[in-house]
Amino acid sequence: MRVIKFQLNGREVETDAPPTARLIDVLRDEFAYIGSKEGCGDGECGACSVFVNTLVQNSCLIPVGAIEGAEIMTIDGFSQTELFQMISECYSEAGAVQCGFCIPGMVMASAALLSKNPHPTEEEIREGISGNLCRCTGYNMIVDAIDLAAKKGEGLW
Amino acid sequence: MIAKDISTSVKKKDHDGKISGQLAYISDVKVDSMLYGVLYRSPIAYGKVRSIRLPPLPEGYEKIGAEHIPGNNFVKLLHNDQPIFANEWVNYIGEPMFMLVGPKLDILYQLVDEVEVDFEEHPAIFTLEEAIKQKDQTGVFAYHEFGESLDVIKSIEKKAHRVIEEVYETGYQEHVYLEPQGMLGIYKADEILVKGSMQCLYYVKNALISALACEDDEVRVIQSPTGGGFGGKEDFPSMMACHVAIAAKVVKKPVMLLFDRAEDMEVTTKRHPAKFTYRTAIDEQGNILSMNVEVFLDGGANAGLSPVVLQRALLNSSGVYKIPHFHAKGYALKTNTVPNGAFRGFGAPQSFAAIESHLGHISSMLKRDPIQYKRNYLVKQGDPTITNGRFRDPILLEDMIQDLLQTADYTKKKEAFRAFNQQNKRFKKGIGASLFLHGCGFTGSGERDHIKAVVKLEKTEQDQVLIKVSNSDMGQGALTTLSKIVAKGLDLPYEDILFPDPDTKDVPDSGPTVASRTTMIVGKLLERAASQLKAGWQSGVAQEVVEHYIHEDMIPWDEETFSGDAYPAYSWGVNLIEVEVDILTGSVRIERVYGSFDIGRAIDERIVKGQIDGGMAQGIAYGFMEKMTSQLGKIQQKTISDYGPPTAMDLVPIESKLYDNPYAGGPYGAKGAGELPLTGGAPAVQAAIEDALQIPFYQIPVTPELIIESLTKKDGDARD
Ligand code: FES
Ligand code: FES
């Protein structure tokens, strides 16, 4: 049987899931990485965001066959980094976490945004997280948190 | 850390688990030999079931239906008219008829697809309009009428200078909690354990006892971390809990029921669509002489919580105003559509949208500024409510309005916008306000007669204190807020207070997590429990204290006559919104948002600010973005983007302000804050759009299509 090999949170892994299986299911069911959440399964909410070779993508839309050889980082792996610590601290300070279901995805989007643009304007932050839905916060405290992370994490990004 | 000031914000209890994604929501849980359930749902709106043909079920797959229910085949709530599995009659598209369970989800979906059911179809009621037409014969879940006699109102109207009658309509609103509904039933030899996303543990537990016809200690309910509720996980989870509990009991294995987004959007409860008629008599100077209101709510196929939602809609139908000679009546009506239920605000957002719109229209007919006109009628401390209760506590509304007009530089801005609009052909700016309140806690004597809340504090030998209540944290921060109240009462660091996931085996019934009651009512009980524990504190000894709800002296509420004090306390709000409308596309851009609130005293300012931001976002979007429709009994929006909740790009920072007005009946002066912020968004955004375009609207959401249609009509009228 053909297996699909890729790098997952810094480890070489392989799966024998059919190539059409959704990456989110493989991550959650096979590798027990529960950090990526499924809010829609439709590419609309961003709760399932992961890094695919440093680009943030919705894992519910990616067939696992498409990631052969790629580097995948989920929140479960990202949460072991210094960058994450900074984001977490700023989210806490800004009060940006309510029900939490959107948050792992938001964190991934925040990190992707800051690594591309370490000094985003408010506009740019809003655009950067516009693929991630949050129903609890009205976004303002998340925007504040990212702004704070940009400032406090000066040099990290 | 020992907090000096209760309002100072602290790190949330559940922050680390949530931000790292490691806190397990129900869909993250897997247990050994777990099966999945998939519901077969009625494809028709109304009819009798003639026969059901199942495809051959592979080994390990089973059908679970009404025949397996040991107790009552209804979800215990108010009217007991909602079948757990509809096996004789179906009343709406999507009603669960039975469930297939088995190890593989894809196989279950395929099997459900192959089911054939033969129905005898009957003519269904699809719209509120049809339900109103036949309400004298059938289909009334609840009805109330109260206020001044109609004869008096009629004679006033006869002598009035003018009588202004308006019809106003509001649409569905979908919760879109980001975590879809999910429930797990676990079979054990001596108990059925149900775990899931929910707001009301004891609603679920009571529903299970009724369905399973079992003893109190044979069922157990645990709330798992809940990814948003907003009322959507108030009544609905009880039905899912019955499904998984019955199935688990039959197959003697754990059974998980998880909705995907499309299923969640199609079959779970929504905010009631509503229709209002307001008739207001005015004299020559434009003074209001009387007001007569009719409210109709579309309840959907089952009564659910509609009777209580209707009460709150009616209680708020006069807004924050003292109206001489007020009369109102209202109906919650049955249609063959998905049942509607609780949604943050619980009937009040509909009524505030209607009354604010109506008074706004009257003021513009009179060529008066809407805020100034409304200010003439504000209720004051000591005034009677429309049900002859009393506004007993200080009301800061007048000051809040005054401040906000200054902060926003309202008068200047209005002029500037007028000038801008004269010069600009395509873009029009407008500013609009809303004034509103929220009655905190259950309506009437519900707390005393039905809920009878009990809380418990447990102290371990290590002197750790555990909070034992049945209230859920669904994102609103109850874990943190309640822990702070207890910490402060005990003079302990907040970190020393533990708050395990509520489990009915372990916590008393402190009531459901609804009605803006958790901080105010449950928090007050915990404040008392903490001082009791402190008084008897013995270091190194395990101790336990319990507190019971004590009803505040009020004018007794009588549901029959709809009179008395409906609520012990009220929270208040003023919103001001600035918009820019593109008259070519009809699209509306929110430019500035102000919100001033009196919620007594904030237990945690940052958490309250989060409630304001999130609530206002939902309220504003309800006014102009979020549109859900039903066609021949079928919800038309299947994806989140079909429906259109806001993204970060649709919103702007909210300039909010809290007014300190401590309420003696709440912990450290706190009143309810959860629902209030949603209420004013829609009416303020509507008013702002009306100000920009100088045309009245009679419904929400005010969508781009509606704007274009109204502009075209205005142009046509101008040419005629
Ligand atoms: S679950 Fe993947 S985008 Fe919503
Ligand atoms: S915190 Fe609940 S959806 Fe974002």
Side-chain angles (χ1 to χ4, degrees), chain B residues 468-508:
Chain B
K468 298 295 174 83
V469 297
S470 62
N471 296 95
S472 305
D473 194 315
M474 48 183 147
Q476 88 284 38
L479 289 180
T480 305
T481 304
L482 297 180
S483 298
K484 281 181 80 176
I485 291 170
V486 172
K488 173 117 180 129
L490 288 168
D491 272 327
L492 281 179
Y494 149 79
E495 294 77 9
D496 284 7
I497 310 298
L498 305 182
F499 198 147
D501 283 345
D503 173 348
T504 57
K505 192 140 213 173
D506 203 31
V507 301

Side-chain angles (χ1 to χ4, degrees), chain A residues 28-29 37 39 42 44 76 88 92-93 97-102 126-127 130 133 135-137 139-141, chain B residues 12 15 18 21-22 25 27-28 30 174-176 228 261 475 606 610 613-614 618 626 640-641 646 648 651:
Chain A
R28 291 171 50 86
D29 298 343
K37 310 293 180 194
D42 234 352
E44 295 191 326
D76 315 76
S88 171
S92 172
E93 198 172 323
V97 181
Q98 289 194 30
C99 84
F101 205 76
C102 71
R126 288 185 183 272
E127 209 186 311
S130 63
L133 275 184
R135 189 55 159 169
C136 299
T137 64
Y139 304 101
N140 294 324
M141 288 167 145
Chain B
K12 281 192 188 156
H15 175 83
K18 282 182 172 173
Q22 302 311 300
Y25 298 84
S27 54
D28 298 327
K30 290 212 166 58
E174 169 68 19
H175 305 87
V176 207
R261 181 60 59 185
R606 204 163 53 200
D613 281 4
Q618 289 176 350
E626 296 180 13
I640 295 178
S641 56
L651 297 164

Side-chain angles (χ1 to χ4, degrees), chain B residues 146-148 153 278 291 293 314 317-318 323-328 386:
Chain B
F146 65 100
E148 190 90 39
I153 301 266
Y278 274 83
M291 188 181 280
V293 184
L314 281 167
S317 56
S318 65
I323 305 289
H325 308 292
F326 183 83
H327 177 94
I386 49 174

Side-chain angles (χ1 to χ4, degrees), chain A residues 41-42 50 61 74 91 99 101-102 108 123 126-128 152:
Chain A
D42 234 352
V50 299
L61 290 185
T74 70
Y91 266 63
C99 84
F101 205 76
C102 71
M108 299 306 264
E123 261 318 290
R126 288 185 183 272
E127 209 186 311
K152 274 188 145 180

Side-chain angles (χ1 to χ4, degrees), chain A residues 25 28-30 32-42 44-47 74-77 79-80 84-85 87-107 122-123 125-141 143-144, chain B residues 10-12 14-16 18-25 27-30 36 173-180 226-228 230 260-262 343-344 473-476 605-607 609-611 613-615 617-618 621 626 638-643 645-654:
Chain A
D25 295 331
R28 291 171 50 86
D29 298 343
E30 193 173 329
Y33 284 132
I34 61 167
S36 314
K37 310 293 180 194
E38 180 166 348
C40 69
D42 234 352
E44 295 191 326
C45 76
T74 70
I75 183 80
D76 315 76
S79 59
Q80 307 305 317
F84 170 84
Q85 282 313 324
I87 293 178
S88 171
E89 199 182 302
C90 296
Y91 266 63
S92 172
E93 198 172 323
V97 181
Q98 289 194 30
C99 84
F101 205 76
C102 71
I103 295 295
M106 280 289 181
V107 169
E122 187 200 321
E123 261 318 290
I125 296 177
R126 288 185 183 272
E127 209 186 311
I129 57 167
S130 63
N132 293 68
L133 275 184
C134 173
R135 189 55 159 169
C136 299
T137 64
Y139 304 101
N140 294 324
M141 288 167 145
V143 173
D144 292 348
Chain B
V10 297
K11 181 174 172 183
K12 281 192 188 156
D14 46 6
H15 175 83
D16 293 335
K18 282 182 172 173
I19 197 151
S20 62
Q22 302 311 300
L23 184 78
Y25 298 84
S27 54
D28 298 327
V29 174
K30 290 212 166 58
Y36 291 95
Q173 191 177 20
E174 169 68 19
H175 305 87
V176 207
Y177 30 70
L178 211 63
E179 177 210 23
T226 297
F230 318 117
D260 65 12
R261 181 60 59 185
F343 195 143
R344 201 175 195 174
D473 194 315
M474 48 183 147
Q476 88 284 38
E605 276 172 356
R606 204 163 53 200
I607 288 181
K609 170 103 172 91
Q611 288 301 296
D613 281 4
Q618 289 176 350
E626 296 180 13
K638 291 221 167 35
T639 65
I640 295 178
S641 56
D642 280 354
Y643 173 61
T647 70
M649 307 252 278
D650 297 312
L651 297 164
V652 296
I654 292 173

